[in-house]
Amino acid sequence: MDTTDRKLLQLLQTDTKKTTKELSLKLNLSVTAVYERIKKLEREGIIDKYVALINRNKINKGFVVFCHIKLLQHSMDFLTKFESEVVKLTEVLECFHVSGDYDYILKICVKDMEEYREFMVTKLTTLQHIGSTHSTFMIGEVKNTTAFTLC
């Protein structure tokens, strides 16, 4: 990846709807060269996918919870079973296997505290092998980005 690829990726991370013509003007390259660079970055897996980022408040999912999960045991069977079940929960946007006092941290977005309680009672705590949970609620968002600095 050269400097031009890095600049191209910076531009794409801020707005993927820019046309190859718009990108070519910013990078001082031909439209074909920009197109070929994008295709190469996709083939190499550097560009993983394109998505629309949705304002969670506009769709009634503004209540953000970070739920720490401790499993009963750390056996491969327990980990695998928990992970295969948690990925099916639509309220869970992110799940990380972590070190420290807890085994997993989940980012959960729901409408409000009532919906979170319902989620905990009917879905999350019904998963096998959970020993304990600890929930932290977002008060305010200081930084939320999907863009990596590459230049």
Side-chain angles (χ1 to χ4, degrees):
M1 223 176 30
D2 62 13
T3 305
T4 305
D5 285 337
R6 291 178 195 281
K7 287 178 184 171
L8 175 58
L9 288 168
Q10 281 301 151
L11 292 167
L12 289 172
Q13 285 185 101
T14 54
D15 185 3
T16 60
K17 290 192 82 168
K18 285 196 185 316
T19 64
T20 49
K21 182 173 181 157
E22 291 172 309
L23 293 167
S24 71
L25 293 171
K26 288 191 179 281
L27 297 169
N28 205 21
L29 293 173
S30 70
V31 172
T32 304
V34 169
Y35 176 82
E36 290 301 323
R37 281 178 180 269
I38 291 171
K39 289 299 169 197
K40 179 185 71 119
L41 293 166
E42 290 171 350
R43 275 192 313 274
E44 292 174 355
I46 294 168
I47 295 175
D48 193 29
K49 60 183 164 183
Y50 300 92
V51 299
L53 299 177
I54 298 172
N55 181 331
R56 66 178 167 268
N57 293 311
K58 300 280 186 183
I59 60 165
N60 288 322
K61 299 294 180 187
F63 191 73
V64 180
V65 183
F66 297 97
C67 184
H68 299 72
I69 306 282
K70 196 179 288 190
L71 298 183
L72 294 170
Q73 293 179 22
H74 297 108
S75 69
M76 184 59 79
D77 181 47
F78 278 36
L79 297 173
T80 305
K81 182 68 175 162
F82 172 77
E83 290 176 6
S84 69
E85 291 176 357
V86 79
V87 298
K88 297 174 189 171
L89 301 175
T90 57
E91 296 86 351
V92 176
L93 269 68
E94 299 177 51
C95 175
F96 301 97
H97 189 188
V98 297
S99 64
D101 293 336
Y102 293 92
D103 300 311
Y104 292 91
I105 298 176
L106 312 181
K107 180 181 177 184
I108 301 162
C109 294
V110 290
K111 180 181 178 184
D112 53 22
M113 179 63 86
E114 187 176 320
E115 190 173 313
Y116 181 62
R117 181 184 184 284
E118 182 71 16
F119 167 75
M120 285 292 288
V121 171
T122 63
K123 294 183 180 180
L124 189 62
T125 56
T126 65
L127 299 185
Q128 295 180 15
H129 313 306
I130 292 179
S132 66
T133 65
H134 174 83
S135 299
T136 306
F137 307 102
M138 180 184 77
I139 295 171
E141 188 170 86
V142 177
K143 180 178 182 180
N144 181 348
T145 184
T146 59
F148 292 99
T149 301
L150 301 169
C151 297

